[in-house]
Amino acid sequence: MANTVNAEELHAERPRAKPSGSRTAAWRQALSVLVIPVLALISALILSAFFILASDVSVLSAYAAFFSNPVHALALSWTVIADSYRALFVGALGDPGQIVAAIQLYITTGQTQPLILAFYPFTESLVTSTPYIFAGLAVAVGFKCNLFNIGAEGQIFIGAIVAAFVGYSFTGLPWIVHMPLTFIAGAAGGAIWGGIPGWLKAKTGAHEVINTMMMNYVAFRLADYLLNGPMKRGGPTGFIPISRDIEPSAYFPQFFPAPIRLHMGFIVALLVAAAVYWFLWKTTLGFEIRTVGANARAAQYAGVSVTRNYIVAMALSGALAAMAGAGEVMGVNHNLANAFSPGYGFDSIALALLGGSHPVGVVLAALLFGTLRNGATKMQSLAGIPIDIISVVQAFVIMFVAAPAIIRWIYRLRSEGGVQVVFTRGWGG
Amino acid sequence: MAVMSRIGEKVAPLSRQRALGIFYAVVGFLILILFSRDVQAGDLATLGLNTPRSIEWVKLPDLVLPVLPTVWVLGLITIGLGSYQALRGFQKTGWLLGVVSLAFLSTFLVWAARAGSFSLIGILSASLQLATPILLGALSGVLCERAGVVNIAIEGMMLGAAFTSVLVANVTGDIMLGLAAALATGALLAAWHAVMAIEFKMDQIISGTVINIFATGLTNFLNQRVMQVYQNLNNEMTFPYISQVFPDLAKIPIVGPLLFDQTPIVWLALILLVVIQVALFRTRWGLRTRAVGEHPRAADTLGINVFRVRYTNVILGGMVAGLGGAYFTLGSVGRFDKQMTNGRGFIALAAMIFGNWTPVGSFASSLIFGFTDALQVKLQILIGKVNIPSEFLLMLPYIVTMVVLAGVVGRVMMPAADGQPYKKQ
């Protein structure tokens, strides 16, 4: 495998005392970092528009008669696309007009209900982003140690199972005890679940890609079993495979009146992202993990225990993914159902790649994914565009971000000549 | 990989052998404990070797086994082998794994069929059938990765091919054109993967992920927007089974139901297996492919066009994955269904790694997964008798895979340049 020690990468994020006057330069650099993702998103939306058009029969028939009435075909295309993307935008961030009107109404009359409704789509995007932040961080930590954790989905399930169990079986605990206990228990379950492939990799060299995938299936079967047996609401004779509701003392409280579901999990996710950044870049263990990820041989010659770091990185990764599941149970669903995750764990691989395996990047990418997924729900109901077009958009976004050369070529941008960030190295050895 | 194997030498081989022996002994005890439950003394299990068709020529006697003695004999053999392995150690352990898994599976089948009958030939035939897409996916992986391009996009290629095969077969009314469309889709997605990975030197895991997300999203999207609206585009179209064309072949005992009560795609897969195995290790093309996968720079110095070899192999691999996709539709249910590949592409990846990047090894591991799938289907019939929660039985193959990977296979030998973009100097 690639054994180049990328020293710049290891030290790049260390804050250095900068000469005065470089503040504007730093801002300019930060902006230029954003150019590629923004252009990538725009290009992805444009490309995806072609798929929306090509699957619309009225548009196709308009193009069949293109030479007799070209204006009609073009105008119809524009209407279809504009309607779809307007619905996407409104669904994701809210209707600007409605928001302005609601604020005016609140100022003049003090009514809060329209305000709540106007901001509902935006807060819902944050709700959807929450599990993405956790799961994206999980995959990113794996990448930092050159481990490819594709078992995030299974770890999410384990986190949700444990959190649900702790959430409903302990009664009478005060919130300040029960809530953290539930969350930490879920994370611990994930740490064990993720730690096993790490341990196997460290001790026997068994490939973590296979083992995390196998653990996924084991977790799904376990959830099947529990939801149809021991954890089933109303006992084995119950009707639906869903667990009992957890105690309110284990809830992540929701901040605003219904229907806004934004809950404490979002804040926890941001704090955890900050903690992961601190851990990876400010602690010795984090440095060791990144060193092992950059070059296992060099790390070993330098006296770093490769085996221990594999185990720690995978356990941490599993714990982070499990937090996504626990957070969904504690903040949104308040019970465990088999279909609670629409594939957060699998999306998170793409998300970690998009975020450059960096906590800040992961949070931004998670916000983007959450916003897109939430907006697409609205697009489906308003414009009849199936929600899955969002996956097509995501695919293009990742492609453009991972190969900026394509974007530079399309938009005739000059090359920055920056260091290419190494995300993964093939099978990770 | 050199790095990794050096680190791995810390693990003494003896202790691994010993641990494996203990594990096998535990499996033996499990056989005794699990499969002697709910068995009456004198229960007989009947394992059927006939199908309605194969009976027409020769009716083979069914295998009738007394349940308890079988469980005891196989359990004790397993414990004995495990203990010997733990105490003394066999020289080679590959066959041991085979014997132990066979013992476990046979006792399970006998136990499941206690005081009743169970079609052995049926489950074997279903195993081969269900192993086919996994085998094709794994072969696709072998083709790409032997040339140094990681292909985690097998799932996406199969899914895309499954979709277009149905669409084209229905629009044109010609199933062969459907098959061609499947191959073309696989090739097209693979070419996209190749351009991203080879031309733009994008991280190959990422570019594979792009294809997977794209194919999943687009097929879901088009399925909902097109196929569910115009349902006559998703009519059932399947290849006839070989036995439907040559009815006599299916009358051959055992071989007939096993090999000829199958869709022709099973045969295509087996032929491809042999062709790729031979080509990879016995032909000039195979040598070049492996050279490019192991040491592209050296291959380049010898005048091999690294880029061309990689493009060719990835696109060929895409076509093989496309054939795997066609299995799901034209070779099986005939209609497209949302996310119908259901992770088989990833299982194929595991089968390929498990099979140590060789076609034959991939085939062996595909059969294990195929057997699991078949069991999953057949267990529905046995439900009630198998009072171990079926979920746990279904977990077993995955757990066994992990144990075996840790114990026997350990560090696999991947092509040295797998996943590395090649930059000409």
Side-chain angles (χ1 to χ4, degrees):
Chain A
M1 311 297 328
N3 291 322
T4 46
V5 189
N6 201 335
E8 292 93 323
E9 196 200 336
L10 284 175
H11 295 287
E13 280 79 9
R14 290 242 170 130
R16 291 264 180 267
K18 289 208 173 90
S20 60
S22 71
R23 182 154 291 193
T24 48
W27 274 108
R28 192 168 299 149
Q29 199 189 350
L31 276 178
S32 75
V33 167
L34 284 176
V35 166
I36 296 282
V38 168
L39 286 180
L41 182 63
I42 294 171
S43 320
L45 286 171
I46 293 171
L47 271 177
S48 306
F50 285 105
F51 289 101
I52 294 178
L53 290 179
S55 60
D56 190 311
V57 175
S58 62
V59 173
L60 287 184
S61 54
Y63 274 94
F66 184 76
F67 290 106
S68 57
N69 195 352
V71 179
H72 172 64
L74 292 175
L76 188 63
S77 310
W78 174 253
T79 321
V80 167
I81 294 304
D83 283 352
S84 308
Y85 285 159
R86 189 178 302 124
L88 178 69
F89 183 85
V90 169
L93 301 174
D95 184 347
Q98 198 188 344
I99 291 175
V100 172
I103 291 175
Q104 282 170 344
L105 199 64
Y106 175 71
I107 292 169
T108 50
T109 66
Q111 272 186 302
T112 53
Q113 194 60 24
L115 203 60
I116 288 168
L117 288 178
F119 278 105
Y120 173 70
F122 173 69
T123 58
E124 208 51 15
S125 290
L126 298 183
V127 171
T128 318
S129 302
T130 305
Y132 277 133
I133 297 178
F134 286 121
L137 287 171
V139 180
V141 166
F143 280 149
K144 277 292 167 212
C145 196
N146 200 11
L147 294 166
F148 191 17
N149 176 17
I150 53 177
E153 187 74 9
Q155 291 146 12
I156 287 174
F157 267 78
I158 296 299
I161 290 170
V162 176
F165 179 76
V166 175
Y168 70 64
S169 45
F170 289 82
T171 50
L173 290 178
W175 177 80
I176 195 71
V177 177
H178 197 189
M179 186 278 298
L181 178 73
T182 310
F183 191 64
I184 290 168
I192 295 170
W193 207 255
I196 293 172
W199 182 80
L200 286 171
K201 164 125 183 157
K203 292 294 174 196
T204 72
H207 208 292
E208 80 277 4
V209 169
I210 304 185
N211 279 336
T212 49
M213 193 190 311
M214 296 298 135
M215 298 284 282
N216 269 350
Y217 288 102
V218 175
F220 299 156
R221 301 285 175 245
L222 187 66
D224 276 349
Y225 165 70
L226 291 173
L227 287 177
N228 285 304
M231 283 176 84
K232 194 173 190 179
R233 182 181 296 186
T237 51
F239 288 108
I240 37 171
I242 190 169
S243 84
R244 268 163 48 197
D245 280 349
I246 62 172
E247 295 287 316
S249 58
Y251 282 11
F252 271 155
Q254 299 181 344
F255 296 126
F256 301 100
I260 293 186
R261 301 191 296 170
L262 184 62
H263 56 88
M264 205 183 87
F266 181 69
I267 307 294
V268 175
L270 294 181
L271 291 177
V272 166
V276 166
Y277 173 79
W278 173 80
F279 172 76
L280 282 177
W281 275 275
K282 307 289 172 198
T283 67
T284 314
L285 195 52
F287 179 76
E288 285 188 7
I289 285 179
R290 287 185 299 125
T291 312
V292 170
N295 187 330
R297 188 192 332 218
Q300 199 181 19
Y301 284 148
V304 174
S305 164
V306 174
T307 51
R308 187 187 68 169
N309 282 295
Y310 278 157
I311 300 173
V312 170
M314 276 307 295
L316 179 61
S317 179
L320 288 166
M323 287 176 193
E328 286 301 278
V329 168
M330 296 165 66
V332 180
N333 300 323
H334 300 145
N335 58 40
L336 175 68
N338 223 347
F340 80 97
S341 166
Y344 292 130
F346 297 117
D347 282 1
S348 64
I349 299 167
L351 196 154
L353 294 170
L354 184 60
S357 299
H358 189 283
V360 176
V362 165
V363 169
L364 292 177
L367 289 173
L368 175 66
F369 271 44
T371 308
L372 281 178
R373 182 169 279 281
N374 180 43
T377 319
K378 192 78 176 174
M379 181 162 77
Q380 176 157 332
S381 59
L382 278 190
I385 305 294
I387 191 168
D388 303 286
I389 193 71
I390 246 23
S391 300
V392 178
V393 177
Q394 282 175 7
F396 285 127
V397 169
I398 297 164
M399 177 176 80
F400 290 138
V401 170
I406 306 178
I407 283 287
R408 292 214 188 87
W409 176 73
I410 296 175
Y411 294 97
R412 304 278 184 268
L413 294 179
R414 267 175 300 142
S415 170
E416 299 284 321
V419 186
Q420 274 266 326
V421 183
V422 181
F423 298 109
T424 69
R425 287 190 185 81
W427 284 112
Chain B
M1 277 321 283
V3 188
M4 298 289 104
S5 50
R6 182 151 320 163
I7 293 163
E9 278 163 22
K10 274 201 296 192
V11 183
L14 189 67
S15 68
R16 182 186 288 183
Q17 298 298 336
R18 192 154 283 168
L20 204 61
I22 294 170
F23 171 72
Y24 288 153
V26 170
V27 171
F29 280 112
L30 272 180
I31 291 179
L32 291 185
I33 297 165
L34 284 179
F35 301 138
S36 57
R37 298 189 319 160
D38 306 317
V39 183
Q40 314 293 325
D43 268 357
L44 294 177
T46 311
L47 297 178
L49 293 179
N50 300 292
T51 59
R53 194 135 323 93
S54 71
I55 246 168
E56 288 177 30
W57 278 358
V58 191
K59 184 179 190 304
L60 292 175
D62 286 333
L63 274 179
V64 181
L65 295 169
V67 179
L68 271 183
T70 312
V71 169
W72 278 99
V73 167
L74 288 176
L76 288 176
I77 288 179
T78 311
I79 293 175
L81 287 174
S83 322
Y84 187 83
Q85 167 72 12
L87 296 175
R88 308 292 294 274
F90 291 102
Q91 289 294 312
K92 288 189 171 174
T93 51
W95 64 272
L96 191 61
L97 170 72
V99 171
V100 171
S101 2
L102 203 66
F104 187 87
L105 293 172
S106 323
T107 11
F108 171 69
L109 286 181
V110 168
W111 175 76
R114 65 190 182 278
S117 65
F118 184 76
S119 171
L120 182 64
I121 203 77
I123 198 165
L124 292 181
S125 161
S127 303
L128 179 62
Q129 193 182 348
L130 293 169
T132 300
I134 302 173
L135 171 64
L136 285 167
L139 288 177
S140 163
V142 167
L143 280 174
C144 299
E145 305 215 352
R146 278 287 177 169
V149 179
V150 168
N151 184 7
I152 68 162
I154 301 167
E155 174 83 359
M157 295 174 186
M158 295 212 287
L159 195 59
F163 181 85
T164 51
S165 64
V166 169
L167 190 68
V168 170
N170 270 295
V171 168
T172 61
D174 186 344
I175 196 162
M176 290 312 286
L177 284 179
L179 184 65
L183 298 183
T185 309
L188 205 66
L189 289 173
W192 185 13
H193 179 51
V195 170
M196 287 192 284
I198 302 169
E199 200 67 39
F200 286 99
K201 304 191 173 23
M202 194 194 284
D203 187 293
Q204 293 167 8
I205 301 265
I206 303 185
S207 85
T209 309
V210 167
I211 307 262
N212 281 335
I213 299 176
F214 175 80
T216 315
L218 192 62
T219 53
N220 282 351
F221 173 77
L222 292 177
N223 182 44
Q224 194 175 336
R225 201 162 150 88
V226 179
M227 281 194 172
Q228 286 179 6
V229 181
Y230 307 95
Q231 297 213 346
N232 58 341
L233 289 179
N234 200 4
N235 287 331
E236 198 177 313
M237 295 271 270
T238 48
F239 282 113
Y241 275 23
I242 295 174
S243 53
Q244 284 169 288
V245 184
F246 307 102
D248 280 348
L249 285 177
K251 294 177 189 167
I252 307 169
I254 298 182
V255 178
L258 206 57
L259 286 181
F260 299 111
D261 248 353
Q262 304 279 20
T263 172
I265 295 181
V266 172
W267 274 83
L268 287 178
L270 292 175
I271 293 169
L272 273 174
L273 162 70
V274 175
V275 168
I276 294 175
Q277 175 76 26
V278 171
L280 202 53
F281 296 104
R282 293 275 181 276
T283 67
R284 179 187 300 206
W285 167 83
L287 187 62
R288 288 186 170 177
T289 296
R290 286 181 292 136
V292 167
E294 295 291 337
H295 203 313
R297 182 132 298 142
D300 197 2
T301 0
L302 293 174
I304 299 173
N305 187 336
V306 175
F307 295 108
R308 191 194 293 158
V309 169
R310 287 194 168 174
Y311 268 110
T312 318
N313 276 45
V314 171
I315 290 171
L316 282 176
M319 292 171 79
V320 175
L323 182 61
Y327 164 85
F328 288 97
T329 50
L330 307 181
S332 175
V333 290
R335 295 164 53 90
F336 182 81
D337 202 8
K338 194 179 169 181
Q339 269 158 304
M340 67 187 311
T341 49
N342 197 14
R344 284 293 163 277
F346 293 112
I347 294 282
L349 213 57
M352 174 201 71
I353 297 177
F354 207 12
N356 216 355
W357 281 267
T358 63
V360 168
S362 307
F363 179 53
S365 32
S366 310
L367 281 179
I368 297 177
F369 290 114
F371 184 80
T372 319
D373 281 353
L375 210 57
Q376 203 160 342
V377 177
K378 303 282 172 184
L379 270 181
Q380 317 287 337
I381 306 164
L382 294 171
I383 228 130
K385 262 195 187 165
V386 182
N387 52 7
I388 303 171
S390 62
E391 290 89 355
F392 284 108
L393 287 172
L394 296 176
M395 278 179 200
L396 218 55
Y398 304 116
I399 295 174
V400 168
T401 304
M402 291 174 63
V403 170
V404 167
L405 197 66
V408 180
V409 185
R411 287 161 204 288
V412 287
M413 289 296 293
M414 66 191 300
D418 208 4
Q420 290 175 17
Y422 181 63
K423 205 175 275 178
K424 209 171 163 69
Q425 278 186 333

